[in-house]
DNA sequence: TCTGGGGTCCTAGGACCC
DNA sequence: TCTGGGGTCCTAGGACCC
């Protein structure tokens, strides 16, 4: 054992489970469409302001009309703009989405033995106790869809499977307004043809490393020598191999305690003026401290993040001997952390503060 | 065509303790 | 004159997720 010992009782294979994963379709864009019926049928892009070609930032979410133009989440906003100048571009209205999310989560929670919200628009439901088989689980999923549709005028995609990993992949299988059920004896058949990056934790970089090894599908990953994977990717490699076989014993966990609070901001144009940068850092620090206090936490470590105009990104952190909240002290620390970056004389694109 | 903001987890090296 | 084995905590960077 090299790292991360886990208590066995939480990992031990228990009786078969039925897990549901719910993912609201194009959430931010769908809420905006609902609020503005005239948007219906038109491409809607929620994210940064393209500012007629000088905007900075990315697409947060877009509706399916916009996707027809090749626009997708994470795409630089100017590229989205180039794809479809006539699309409706909207800023991200978090307070509104949070409110809608809260109502949806309340509905979902009511249908679960164990419930885990994983993001503003996604959640896992362990329904093993209240549902005796997959037929009943399907009925429950259809009911959940109806309730969300009726209460919030939104559609969602649902996956049902014996574990979280497969349920999540299943909810993504048919979109929008999909419902995919994968029972234990269908897992291999379901996963094998899918691309490796469907697996939790495999992104662009890992996909690119797997390709020359002749691994592009989950099936190819599952049948690859696990010791070789471990050699190449460390302990992660072993996890990949397990997941490729559809094995996942992780539990639906009710509530997670946050480990950090942070705020960061990209300037509209890159900045070299030290005063301006310091003021921004001060403001971000104030927001972070407000968050920490509001949640009744304390913290020991403060991290400053700087991104230069060439996208090179660095972090600097300081840990105090004891947890504390003393805004004045932290301001001094933040300035100390910032100092070397200011001295470099390089134009700065982004600053961030994390507690 | 240029890359947000809020998070989590992992790795690796180093200081330090007994 | 050279250097064990078991640990913890801190820092920095990176991959990944929505």
């Amino acid at each position: 054992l090299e790292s991360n010992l886990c208590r066995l009782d939480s990992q031990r294979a228990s009786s078969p489970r039925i897990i549901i994963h719910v993912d609201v379709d194009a959430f931010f864009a769908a809420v905006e469409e609902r609020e503005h019926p005239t948007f219906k049928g038109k491409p809607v892009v929620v994210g940064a302001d393209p500012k007629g070609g000088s905007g900075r930032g990315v697409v947060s979410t877009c509706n399916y009309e916009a996707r027809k133009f090749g626009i997708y989440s994470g795409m630089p906003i100017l590229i989205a703009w180039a794809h479809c100048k006539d699309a409706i571009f909207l800023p991200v209205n978090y307070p509104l989405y949070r409110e809608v999310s809260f109502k949806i989560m309340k509905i979902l929670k009511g249908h679960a033995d164990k419930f885990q919200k994983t993001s503003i628009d996604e959640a896992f439901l362990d329904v093993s106790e209240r549902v005796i088989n997959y037929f009943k689980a399907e009925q429950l999923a259809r009911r959940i869809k109806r309730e969300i549709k009726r209460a919030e005028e939104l559609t969602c995609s649902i996956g049902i499977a014996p574990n979280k990993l497969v349920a999540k992949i299943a909810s993504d299988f048919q979109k929008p307004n999909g419902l995919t059920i994968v029972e234990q004896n269908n897992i291999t058949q379901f996963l094998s043809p899918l691309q490796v990056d469907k697996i939790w934790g495999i992104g662009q970089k890992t996909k690119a490393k797997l390709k020359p090894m002749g691994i592009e599908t989950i099936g190819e990953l599952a049948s690859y020598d696990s010791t070789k994977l471990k050699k190449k990717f460390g302990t992660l490699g072993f996890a990949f191999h397990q997941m490729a076989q559809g094995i996942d014993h992780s539990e639906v966990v009710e509530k997670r305690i946050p480990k950090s609070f942070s705020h960061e901001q990209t300037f509209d144009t890159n900045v070299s003026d030290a005063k301006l940068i310091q003021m921004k850092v001060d403001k971000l620090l104030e927001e972070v401290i407000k968050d920490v206090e509001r949640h009744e936490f304390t913290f020991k470590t403060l991290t400053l993040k700087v991104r230069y105009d060439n996208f090179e990104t660095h972090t600097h952190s300081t840990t105090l001997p004891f947890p504390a909240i003393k805004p004045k002290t932290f301001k001094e620390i933040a300035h100390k952390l910032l100092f070397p970056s200011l001295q470099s004389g390089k134009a700065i694109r982004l600053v961030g503060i994390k507690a």
Side-chain angles (χ1 to χ4, degrees):
Chain A
L1 279 179
E2 284 168 348
S3 64
N4 290 31
L5 288 96
C6 294
R7 308 217 66 154
L8 266 180
D9 46 331
S10 68
Q11 294 273 315
R12 191 166 286 153
S14 45
S15 55
R17 299 178 294 161
I18 301 182
I19 308 294
I20 295 180
H21 183 256
V22 181
D23 185 338
V24 184
D25 299 318
F27 183 50
F28 296 177
V31 171
E32 295 293 351
E33 275 186 54
R34 181 191 84 178
E35 298 294 302
H36 308 94
T38 55
F39 293 172
K40 273 269 177 326
K42 294 176 188 163
V44 174
V45 180
V46 180
D49 184 349
K51 294 182 179 174
S54 70
R56 229 172 201 189
V58 300
V59 173
S60 197
T61 319
C62 61
N63 67 359
Y64 282 81
E65 291 300 323
R67 291 180 201 192
K68 289 179 191 164
F69 290 89
I71 299 171
Y72 55 86
S73 295
M75 172 183 264
I77 201 69
L78 291 188
I79 300 173
W81 191 70
H83 275 75
C84 182
K85 290 191 170 56
D86 297 326
I88 295 160
F89 288 90
L90 300 169
V92 180
N93 183 354
Y94 277 113
L96 173 62
Y97 312 146
R98 261 199 294 269
E99 201 181 303
V100 179
S101 168
F102 185 77
K103 291 179 187 162
I104 293 172
M105 295 299 163
K106 202 173 163 190
I107 292 172
L108 296 178
K109 213 169 177 172
H111 290 296
D113 304 323
K114 283 190 239 164
F115 176 77
Q116 181 180 6
K117 169 183 167 171
T118 52
S119 79
I120 195 162
D121 69 334
E122 279 184 31
F124 287 105
L125 288 70
D126 187 327
V127 297
S128 312
E129 280 174 38
R130 68 180 59 206
V131 145
I132 54 161
N133 57 33
Y134 279 82
F135 177 71
K136 291 282 181 191
E138 180 177 347
Q139 287 185 325
L140 176 57
R142 295 200 188 281
R143 183 170 165 196
I144 287 169
K145 275 168 168 284
R146 277 198 304 275
E147 285 183 22
I148 292 176
K149 182 78 191 174
R150 197 180 55 197
E152 300 300 326
E153 294 172 56
L154 296 171
T155 64
C156 59
S157 295
I158 295 185
I160 311 177
N163 62 52
K164 288 165 74 175
L165 171 78
V166 181
K168 164 117 173 115
I169 297 173
S171 74
D172 186 60
F173 190 65
Q174 289 174 281
K175 275 181 161 183
N177 202 9
L179 174 57
T180 304
I181 300 161
V182 184
E183 294 188 44
Q184 185 64 49
N185 51 5
N186 293 331
I187 288 181
T188 309
Q189 191 192 350
F190 172 68
L191 291 180
S192 290
L194 302 179
Q195 294 289 299
V196 280
D197 58 357
K198 293 282 174 192
I199 284 185
W200 183 275
I202 299 186
Q204 281 293 307
K205 301 273 178 173
T206 309
K207 191 182 183 182
K209 281 186 201 163
L210 288 169
K211 196 171 176 181
M213 298 164 73
I215 305 171
E216 292 188 63
T217 66
I218 295 179
E220 285 160 353
L221 181 58
S223 58
Y224 203 84
D225 183 354
S226 74
T227 55
K228 281 183 190 158
L229 284 171
K230 204 173 171 197
K231 223 172 220 163
K232 183 125 185 161
F233 299 100
T235 166
L236 265 174
F238 185 72
F240 292 157
H241 193 249
Q242 290 284 107
M243 289 192 282
Q245 290 164 77
I247 298 169
D248 168 32
H249 297 302
S250 66
E251 298 277 339
V252 174
V253 184
E254 299 276 333
K255 199 162 199 158
R256 296 179 53 135
I257 299 162
K259 302 204 164 159
S260 65
F261 292 101
S262 70
H263 284 280
E264 62 183 58
Q265 196 164 19
T266 298
F267 295 108
D268 286 340
T269 53
N270 301 338
V271 177
S272 307
D273 180 0
K275 265 261 150 22
L276 220 72
I277 296 162
Q278 277 195 358
M279 276 167 59
K280 180 60 81 183
V281 168
D282 288 350
K283 203 192 113 214
L284 294 168
L285 177 63
E286 270 173 41
E287 288 170 10
V288 167
I289 288 174
K290 233 187 276 168
D291 283 352
V292 173
E293 286 178 339
R294 193 154 43 85
H295 292 85
E296 301 183 308
F297 282 95
T298 57
F299 64 98
K300 281 203 303 182
T301 305
L302 197 67
T303 304
L304 172 92
K305 177 170 165 182
V306 172
R307 178 169 290 154
Y308 297 110
D309 57 356
N310 63 357
F311 223 71
E312 193 182 302
T313 307
H314 295 276
T315 60
H316 299 284
S317 63
T318 299
T319 300
L320 302 173
F322 306 103
I325 298 273
K326 284 240 183 67
K328 207 176 162 214
T329 324
F330 285 124
K331 206 164 170 176
E332 278 167 29
I333 294 171
H335 285 192
K336 268 187 198 141
L337 292 172
L338 180 61
F339 188 68
S341 309
L342 294 181
Q343 275 213 318
S344 74
K346 287 189 262 191
I348 287 173
R349 174 187 178 93
L350 165 149
V351 284
I353 290 283
K354 174 165 86 163

